[in-house]
Amino acid sequence: MPRFLNRHLTALLLCLCFGLGVFSLQAQPKAGWEKTQHDFGNIQEQDGDVTVDFKFTNTGDKPLMILRCQTSCGCTTPKYTRKPLKPGESGTIQVTYHAKGRPGVFQKSVYVYDNSEPNHKSMLLITGNVLSNRLPEESFSHSMGAGLRVKNRALNFFDVYPNRANRTRTMDVYNEGTEPIRLTFRNVPKHIAIECEPEVLQPKTEGKVMVTFLTSRCKDWGLHRDRFEVYVKGHETQMEDNTIAVSADIWEDFSTLSRKERDQAPQIEVEGTSLDFGENDEPRSQEVLITNTGRSKLHIRKIQNDLPKVFVTSVADQVVKPGETTTLTIRFEPSQTTLLTINHHITVITDDPSNSRVIVNMTASK
């Protein structure tokens, strides 16, 4: 072939590849937000809840779906558009802050997960200041007995990576009694460390309990939940409703992988990510095929399932060799739910660095 024709042919192929690459990058859903932050300013506690709408539009080329919303604490409640949005269509994340019983400055986050790319999320932020004439005892709404009061009984650490820095959350406490108290803790998981400031809480004073998630010690993946109990030393029998709930979403960190390591990594391909179990009163099963199209072994870390009795899961192989396929079986048990129609999803968590979490959506009726 003449040299000039070879050069022109090469240039044409490069242009075609570039054009296809640009098209593939554009052909995906994308959430375009009108705003991602809102300041409520000063709020009167007696007025109760305050709400803001975060509006977004699918500015991409494929249907956009909001998979889930995760808040920084139970004081914030999101409601969101659940149907797929076609390109150009708009939706709303309605965020409500429950101001009653929570005087003072606040800053809360809402993480919005969508299907635009693996593990993609947007963060919405609300801020404000709740004004109140309440006494300190009233601000700390939960009584645990023996003079101890707390503002909340749940701590969320959000995204945690085993090889990164430890994460700390603070729990505000108050001694409404007439004697100094010292706090102790029981059934604390090995990956949780707790420190009190001050160690001895004087009457009618506030303090803090710093709870640290030791990231390298928790041997789990996905959403992880723990509990521990708080006691006033010497008054253990007087304690009630003294359990603290702790949660964290544990991710595998692929950020240090080289390009060569990524090229040699496993790659998951799932057939059956949208299942309809139909309508009847009998238990029934469906199968999801999981194939490793990569160059090294695929490890199925976990099948994250919040309704394990309603949707019973089992996977044939935890490790899938390159080129091989395994089966994830999901059995729907109608007797385990009172709902006539149920929409649910599970998450397949693997060590595929490009797609470590795959959502399987399910619908069933009885």
Side-chain angles (χ1 to χ4, degrees), residues 280-293:
N280 63 68
D281 292 330
E282 297 299 323
R284 58 266 195 195
S285 300
Q286 292 203 42
E287 293 184 345
V288 176
L289 300 181
I290 301 175
T291 302
N292 179 9
T293 60

Side-chain angles (χ1 to χ4, degrees), residues 293-312:
T293 60
R295 297 181 178 179
S296 60
K297 293 180 180 179
L298 176 75
H299 296 82
I300 299 177
R301 302 295 197 196
K302 185 178 183 180
I303 306 297
Q304 183 82 57
N305 181 12
D306 292 337
L307 297 175
K309 292 183 179 180
V310 180
F311 291 94
V312 183

Side-chain angles (χ1 to χ4, degrees), residues 42 59 72 74 89 100 111 126 134-135 150 182 232 253 257 320:
N42 290 329
T59 59
S72 54
E89 290 186 336
K100 190 174 182 179
Y111 292 93
I126 59 171
R134 293 157 59 101
L135 298 173
V150 299
R182 183 187 295 270
V232 173
D253 189 2
L257 293 181
V320 186

Side-chain angles (χ1 to χ4, degrees), residues 247-352:
S247 62
D249 197 7
I250 304 174
W251 294 78
E252 191 163 356
D253 189 2
F254 302 106
S255 62
T256 60
L257 293 181
S258 66
R259 183 172 181 177
K260 181 179 180 181
E261 289 172 324
R262 286 183 175 274
D263 290 340
Q264 296 298 318
Q267 188 171 2
I268 188 172
E269 185 176 290
V270 179
E271 181 181 339
T273 56
S274 183
L275 305 178
D276 187 347
F277 285 82
E279 180 179 355
N280 63 68
D281 292 330
E282 297 299 323
R284 58 266 195 195
S285 300
Q286 292 203 42
E287 293 184 345
V288 176
L289 300 181
I290 301 175
T291 302
N292 179 9
T293 60
R295 297 181 178 179
S296 60
K297 293 180 180 179
L298 176 75
H299 296 82
I300 299 177
R301 302 295 197 196
K302 185 178 183 180
I303 306 297
Q304 183 82 57
N305 181 12
D306 292 337
L307 297 175
K309 292 183 179 180
V310 180
F311 291 94
V312 183
T313 63
S314 61
V315 62
D317 304 286
Q318 295 294 134
V319 180
V320 186
K321 295 179 180 179
E324 295 188 356
T325 298
T326 192
T327 303
L328 167 63
T329 302
I330 305 173
R331 188 175 76 253
F332 173 57
E333 294 286 353
S335 63
Q336 298 299 315
T337 179
T338 58
L339 297 174
L340 296 179
T341 300
I342 184 169
N343 295 302
H344 183 55
H345 75 267
I346 62 174
T347 306
V348 182
I349 303 175
T350 71
D351 60 345
D352 175 358

Side-chain angles (χ1 to χ4, degrees), residues 92-143:
T92 300
I93 307 291
Q94 185 182 82
V95 178
T96 299
Y97 181 72
H98 306 291
K100 190 174 182 179
R102 298 180 173 89
V105 176
F106 67 88
Q107 177 175 300
K108 303 298 177 181
S109 303
V110 178
Y111 292 93
V112 181
Y113 293 82
D114 61 45
N115 66 328
S116 60
E117 58 184 72
N119 309 327
H120 182 264
K121 63 182 177 182
S122 302
M123 187 184 79
L124 309 178
L125 184 69
I126 59 171
T127 57
N129 181 27
V130 181
L131 303 177
S132 176
N133 295 323
R134 293 157 59 101
L135 298 173
E137 289 90 339
E138 297 174 307
S139 300
F140 292 79
S141 56
H142 300 285
S143 174

Side-chain angles (χ1 to χ4, degrees), residues 23-33 56-65 85-90 114-116:
F23 177 80
S24 64
L25 288 174
Q26 293 176 343
Q28 58 179 321
K30 184 178 180 181
W33 296 91
F56 64 94
T57 301
N58 181 4
T59 59
D61 300 319
K62 287 187 176 181
L64 173 70
M65 177 176 287
L85 299 176
K86 298 177 181 178
E89 290 186 336
S90 299
D114 61 45
N115 66 328
S116 60

